[in-house]
Amino acid sequence: MLDIDDTFDAVHGHQQLRLFNAFYDEFGFQPIVVFDGEGRLVGTLLRPARRPNGAESATHIRRLIRQIARHWPETEILLRADSHYCTPQVLDLCDGLGLRYVFGLSKNGRLARNISALEASTAARYVRTPGQKLRRFKTFSYAALSWSKPRRAIARVEVGPMGRDTRYIVTNLEGGRGKHLYEKLYSARGQAENHIKAWKTHLAADRTSCSKANANQMRLMLHGCAYWVWWKLRAACPKRSPWRRAQFDTLRLHLVKLAATIVEKKTRIIVTLPASCPRKGLLLLLFDALAPPKTA
């Protein structure tokens, strides 16, 4: 499972690749970030502050999939992304490489005509029983004029106190109900926003202040390494403990920002914690869990 997204990174100098973004009213970068379904950072790519077009997205995905296939050639891959990654180039690439995908699909008049009756009936049903939101789904075949072939589209129609809201996704998955694919599979990609927050806010990955693009790309990679360290630390925490769901800044505050005496010897490093250390039990557990394997 690969979640692909991009995020704005404001800059305040004259760095290479910086670009003015009218939406954010600032100069900056807009790197592409990829996470797997468990929240592990797969890769980051520094780029100007604009949404990637279809050719750029397809090129990046092709390079990424090629590297993954070198190490895990039998692994099946499912891509999830927002609607601006749903381009003809990306869709054809996924079909050509045998990749499964679930992408958001932008609204248009042709899509609206396919579900006008469902929207009307859903609104009428909500009027009869107002209160909780009413959500219904429809699966149909759809082909944009720029697409090479029709594909499976799913519409989600929701009516509630705030009015009517309709969203679409497109997928090449043949099985599964539309409700399950939208609510359980596609909507879960929103978790990637939390991963981006951890990477940018808690680990300061937006400190791309070098003048050269290569140096800033290296910064993104180093912050990616830091993300992996904290992800591994959190994954080693007990499954039923709140630490398994804690944010990186919370872990750093409770597990790293501690008073301790450190003594470096030839073959080991001794860390002496105070007798009143509140996280002593958790730290001992993590030291054991993360210790390198013992040689025979």
Side-chain angles (χ1 to χ4, degrees):
M1 187 83 70
L2 297 179
D3 291 318
I4 305 174
D5 207 347
D6 47 78
T7 180
F8 182 73
D9 172 11
V11 300
H12 307 284
H14 296 278
Q15 293 93 325
Q16 289 181 341
L17 295 184
R18 75 171 190 142
L19 186 69
F20 183 77
N21 187 297
F23 180 81
Y24 295 98
D25 197 27
E26 287 187 279
F27 283 91
F29 305 121
Q30 195 152 332
I32 294 177
V33 188
V34 183
F35 296 89
D36 74 357
E38 299 296 324
R40 288 174 285 240
L41 182 61
V42 177
T44 61
L45 176 66
L46 187 75
R47 48 181 306 283
R50 60 170 180 265
R51 280 189 169 181
N53 58 31
E56 182 183 3
S57 299
T59 300
H60 179 57
I61 293 172
R62 182 184 296 108
R63 185 187 307 115
L64 179 67
I65 299 303
R66 184 186 301 127
Q67 293 299 321
I68 293 175
R70 285 178 57 189
H71 300 279
W72 301 282
E74 303 300 324
T75 300
E76 295 183 358
I77 297 175
L78 171 67
L79 297 180
R80 294 188 300 199
D82 205 349
S83 58
H84 62 272
Y85 286 92
C86 182
T87 64
Q89 296 93 330
V90 172
L91 293 173
D92 289 339
L93 174 69
C94 291
D95 290 335
L97 296 179
L99 304 176
R100 296 177 294 173
Y101 59 81
V102 180
F103 294 140
L105 188 58
S106 299
K107 301 177 182 179
N108 60 54
R110 288 185 59 205
L111 284 170
R113 287 193 292 272
N114 278 281
I115 59 150
S116 57
L118 180 65
E119 288 180 324
S121 63
T122 304
R125 183 180 298 182
Y126 177 78
V127 170
R128 292 194 297 269
T129 58
Q132 288 188 331
K133 293 180 181 179
L134 183 60
R135 178 177 284 192
R136 300 172 70 190
F137 297 85
K138 180 180 179 180
T139 299
F140 55 95
S141 179
Y142 171 76
L145 296 179
S146 57
W147 291 5
S148 59
K149 64 180 183 180
R151 293 179 169 91
R152 183 186 184 187
I154 297 169
R156 188 271 284 158
V157 177
E158 183 177 277
V159 180
M162 302 298 294
R164 185 177 64 194
D165 180 50
T166 302
R167 304 291 176 90
Y168 304 92
I169 62 173
V170 61
T171 181
N172 60 354
L173 297 174
E174 297 180 358
R177 299 173 56 198
K179 175 181 175 66
H180 174 80
L181 293 177
Y182 187 93
E183 293 184 341
K184 302 300 182 181
L185 190 60
Y186 177 73
S187 295
R189 64 166 294 276
Q191 189 65 23
E193 296 292 338
N194 294 327
H195 304 327
I196 291 175
K197 175 185 175 182
W199 179 64
K200 284 179 60 177
T201 306
H202 302 156
L203 300 178
D206 54 355
R207 291 183 181 174
T208 46
S209 55
C210 294
S211 59
K212 300 296 184 180
N214 287 342
N216 284 321
Q217 176 65 60
M218 185 64 188
R219 278 177 174 254
L220 294 184
M221 295 171 64
L222 291 174
H223 286 289
C225 294
Y227 181 97
W228 265 90
V229 169
W230 284 106
W231 187 94
K232 190 72 174 178
L233 179 70
R234 184 171 61 186
C237 292
K239 290 184 178 181
R240 298 183 181 275
S241 71
W243 304 108
R244 196 65 175 266
R245 301 178 300 275
Q247 297 185 143
F248 290 164
D249 58 342
T250 302
L251 293 173
R252 181 173 57 196
L253 180 63
H254 289 273
L255 301 180
V256 174
K257 289 190 173 182
L258 301 173
T261 300
I262 301 177
V263 178
E264 295 186 28
K265 294 185 176 292
K266 289 185 177 181
T267 59
R268 58 179 176 164
I269 298 175
I270 300 176
V271 180
T272 306
L273 297 170
S276 60
C277 178
R279 312 298 176 198
K280 178 181 177 181
L282 178 61
L283 288 170
L284 291 175
L285 185 149
L286 292 174
F287 283 145
D288 290 337
L290 299 174
K294 296 179 179 180
T295 58

